[in-house]
């Protein structure tokens, strides 16, 4: 028998009777608007409708299937938009110097700290958290059963089984925040978080481990286990960033041990699968792009830089011909330009940047499980995320790729 809360079902009547909506922001831009206006309006939508105590929801389902608070929806990837908005506001603050921009970045970073605190284990970071005493219906529908009741934060539930891509989101987002936005107090907090998080992975023989101490499903960076080439790149990047931020020699030693003894520097070159074409994975490209962006700006050894450039070149073979069907595709080109200095932005590609879009608000039926094993169909509105678009914009502005007048 299911034990989740029926609050969303009861809310059908509450919200209809009183006319209350979880959507606090309802104004969308037009696709013909200038880029800066689209970004400004999608930013308001994200902060107004996706803000879960500083964490950014990747997917929000509104009442009656959802709640007034944005905590109902698929949440396995919440660290992605959270890190993207953290990076966005870090780049934005570096341009504007506006204390309000820094405050928003600080609040997002505090949510990542809460993702650690909610697990009750130092260095263990959750995928997402919800303030609720009882399970909600989406826990049964959108992910496998890795939700836990928090022992350290009563009244919260959290989603476990962290994966390599979320590992990358953490060192990328926190590293960018430390570099561009954090004051001395927050630099110490950021260094402390990475020290605990990456340190726990190193202590567990380069494996992401969950509450039960077992390796997570996609948490294998271990030199003693077969793993993807991409995971070798992600681990090297994480160690490089953490050493740079904490100054602790243990991360530099681990970095060079994985290179000298286990040849992670050679292994990572083939992170990009090129053939057959059907095996190319744009999601993996995103994790590689974030890793290469962080590591190539910190590495000074010309031999290692050459190997990372070989990895980047393999990605460029595919990226140069990508259609801009996903906002992160555009960012790949920005990263390539930043890391190489090559002038790759044709008028067509510049227009692709100007045409960036966030999301549409959709309406569909949700199949909500009931205690008796049946399902109830509830029609509701939903939103996805515009965090990558917003990050792209401020990243491009920071590096002079995007004109503020666009």
């Amino acid at each position: 028998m299911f034990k989740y809360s029926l609050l969303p079902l009861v809310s059908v009547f509450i919200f209809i009777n009183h006319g209350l909506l979880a959507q606090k922001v309802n104004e969308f831009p037009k696709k013909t608007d200038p880029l800066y206006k689209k970004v400004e309006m999608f930013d308001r939508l994200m902060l107004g409708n996706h803000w879960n105590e500083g964490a950014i929801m990747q997917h929000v389902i509104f009442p009656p299937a959802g709640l007034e608070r944005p905590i109902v929806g698929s949440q396995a990837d919440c660290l992605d938009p959270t890190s993207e908005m953290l990076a966005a506001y870090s780049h934005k603050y570096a341009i504007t110097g506006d204390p309000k921009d820094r405050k928003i970045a600080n609040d997002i970073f505090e949510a990542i700290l809460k993702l650690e605190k909610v697990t009750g284990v130092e260095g263990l970071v959750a995928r997402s958290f919800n303030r609720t005493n009882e399970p909600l219906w989406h826990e049964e529908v959108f992910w496998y059963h890795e939700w836990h009741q928090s022992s350290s934060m009563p009244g919260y539930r959290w989603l476990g089984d962290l994966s390599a891509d979320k590992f990358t989101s953490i060192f990328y987002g926190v590293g960018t925040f430390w570099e561009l936005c954090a004051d001395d107090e927050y630099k110490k907090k950021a260094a402390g978080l990475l020290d605990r998080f990456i340190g726990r992975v190193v202590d567990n023989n380069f494996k992401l481990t969950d509450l039960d101490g077992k390796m997570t499903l996609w948490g294998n960076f271990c030199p003693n286990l077969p793993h993807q080439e991409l995971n070798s790149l992600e681990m090297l990047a994480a160690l490089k960033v953490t050493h740079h931020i904490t100054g602790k020699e243990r991360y530099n030693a681990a970095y060079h041990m994985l290179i000298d003894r286990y040849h992670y520097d050679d292994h990572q070159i083939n992170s990009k699968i090129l053939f057959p074409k059907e095996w190319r994975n744009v999601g993996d490209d995103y994790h590689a792009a974030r890793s290469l962006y962080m590591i190539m700006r910190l590495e000074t050894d010309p031999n290692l830089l050459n190997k990372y450039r070989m990895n980047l070149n393999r990605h460029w073979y595919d990226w140069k011909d990508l259609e801009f069907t996903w906002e992160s595709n555009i960012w790949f080109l920005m990263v390539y330009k930043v890391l190489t200095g090559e002038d790759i932005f044709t008028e067509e590609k510049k227009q692709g940047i100007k045409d960036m879009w966030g999301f549409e608000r959709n309406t569909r039926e949700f199949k909500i499980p009931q205690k008796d094993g049946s399902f109830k169909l509830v029609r509701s509105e939903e939103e996805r995320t515009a965090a990558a678009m917003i990050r792209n914009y401020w990243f491009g502005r920071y590096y002079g790729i995007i004109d503020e007048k666009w």
Side-chain angles (χ1 to χ4, degrees):
M1 180 179 290
F2 295 120
K3 298 180 180 179
Y4 50 81
S5 171
L6 290 179
L7 276 173
L9 303 180
V10 175
S11 299
V12 173
F13 304 102
I14 296 174
F15 288 109
I16 289 175
N17 288 343
H18 295 282
L20 297 177
L21 292 172
Q23 301 96 310
K24 296 187 171 54
V25 180
N26 295 288
E27 188 177 4
F28 279 74
K30 298 188 292 290
K31 291 198 173 182
T32 55
D33 283 336
L35 178 60
Y36 70 84
K37 184 175 180 181
K38 288 187 287 187
V39 169
E40 181 181 297
M41 295 184 75
F42 274 117
D43 186 76
R44 287 202 294 266
L45 283 157
M46 290 298 295
L47 297 184
N49 297 345
H50 295 248
W51 184 273
N52 177 21
E53 301 181 32
I56 308 299
M57 287 281 284
Q58 73 191 68
H59 175 217
V60 177
I61 300 171
F62 300 113
L67 293 172
E68 186 178 1
R69 290 179 292 120
I71 62 171
V72 175
S74 51
Q75 299 184 33
D77 295 326
C78 278
L79 267 165
D80 291 346
T82 300
S83 67
E84 287 160 354
M85 290 296 282
L86 180 60
Y89 269 90
S90 297
H91 286 292
K92 185 180 181 184
Y93 174 75
I95 296 168
T96 68
D98 189 335
K100 288 183 284 189
D101 294 330
R102 173 180 262 180
K103 175 66 166 56
I104 291 173
N106 289 347
D107 289 346
I108 296 171
F109 172 75
E110 289 286 350
I112 299 177
L113 288 179
K114 188 177 286 187
L115 285 167
E116 177 193 28
K117 182 180 178 182
V118 75
T119 69
V121 177
E122 190 172 274
L124 176 60
V125 178
R127 287 175 175 267
S128 185
F129 61 74
N130 293 162
R131 181 163 55 84
T132 176
N133 284 308
E134 298 180 5
L136 301 174
W137 68 265
H138 64 82
E139 297 182 20
E140 294 289 340
V141 174
F142 289 119
W143 197 243
Y144 48 88
H145 296 174
E146 285 290 345
W147 283 91
H148 307 273
Q149 198 72 37
S150 177
S151 59
S152 56
M153 292 175 57
Y156 282 81
R157 291 178 62 76
W158 60 276
L159 180 59
D161 203 66
L162 202 68
S163 51
D165 52 337
K166 308 308 163 232
F167 170 88
T168 304
S169 291
I170 292 170
F171 75 73
Y172 159 70
V174 174
T176 302
F177 172 68
W178 183 93
E179 178 184 354
L180 297 177
C181 183
D183 62 14
D184 289 344
E185 176 189 357
Y186 274 93
K187 281 184 183 293
K188 290 178 182 177
K189 287 185 177 183
L193 173 61
L194 285 183
D195 189 22
R196 296 189 299 274
F197 175 60
I198 304 300
R200 186 172 185 269
V201 178
V202 173
D203 291 342
N204 283 285
N205 197 19
F206 304 94
K207 292 180 284 187
L208 282 171
T209 53
D210 215 342
L211 192 61
D212 57 7
K214 296 179 182 178
M215 187 174 72
T216 63
L217 185 60
W218 292 293
N220 177 23
F221 307 95
C222 180
N224 306 120
L225 295 172
H227 60 266
Q228 292 176 293
E229 291 88 345
L230 176 59
N231 289 31
S232 291
L233 172 64
E234 291 168 332
M235 178 51 67
L236 290 177
L239 292 169
K240 197 69 177 175
V241 170
T242 306
H243 174 244
H244 176 69
I245 288 175
T246 66
K248 291 193 174 182
E249 178 57 27
R250 69 173 303 211
Y251 299 110
N252 186 47
Y255 177 78
H256 286 287
M257 183 269 289
L258 292 178
I259 290 171
D260 297 340
R261 189 182 303 174
Y262 296 102
H263 310 294
Y264 273 39
D265 54 332
D266 296 326
H267 195 232
Q268 62 80 33
I269 292 172
N270 291 319
S271 297
K272 175 64 177 178
I273 298 175
L274 289 173
F275 301 104
K277 286 186 177 181
E278 292 76 13
W279 288 12
R280 296 180 186 180
N281 187 321
V282 71
D284 284 352
D285 287 1
Y286 185 44
H287 316 320
R290 292 182 295 175
S291 299
L292 289 167
Y293 169 69
M294 299 304 284
I295 199 170
M296 288 183 71
R297 293 180 306 116
L298 294 175
E299 183 55 70
T300 57
D301 184 321
N303 292 322
L304 291 175
L305 268 174
N306 186 50
K307 291 179 181 181
Y308 299 141
R309 178 62 193 265
M310 290 168 69
N311 186 324
L312 182 63
N313 287 349
R314 285 177 60 85
H315 281 88
W316 180 246
Y317 180 86
D318 185 32
W319 291 354
K320 62 183 171 58
D321 299 319
L322 280 178
E323 295 183 7
F324 289 166
T325 55
W326 184 42
E327 270 57 45
S328 291
N329 291 11
I330 297 172
W331 193 66
F332 299 164
L333 302 192
M334 293 184 184
V335 167
Y336 184 84
K337 177 176 173 56
V338 168
L339 294 178
T340 67
E342 296 178 19
D343 184 9
I344 56 167
F345 281 100
T346 62
E347 289 304 314
E348 182 183 8
K349 288 182 169 62
K350 288 178 181 178
Q351 189 60 48
I353 294 175
K354 295 175 185 178
D355 291 341
M356 283 194 299
W357 187 250
F359 55 80
E360 307 288 347
R361 182 178 292 170
N362 300 315
T363 301
R364 68 183 178 99
E365 285 187 327
F366 295 92
K367 198 174 181 180
I368 300 179
Q370 308 293 291
K371 284 187 174 182
D372 62 3
S374 64
F375 292 86
K376 181 174 182 178
L377 292 177
V378 179
R379 192 169 181 81
S380 293
E381 290 185 319
E382 64 175 352
E383 287 180 358
R384 295 293 173 173
T385 174
M389 174 205 186
I390 297 165
R391 184 277 316 279
N392 293 356
Y393 178 77
W394 289 110
F395 182 93
R397 285 281 309 278
Y398 179 77
Y399 283 108
I401 299 169
I402 293 178
D403 191 315
E404 65 179 331
K405 297 177 183 177
W406 287 3

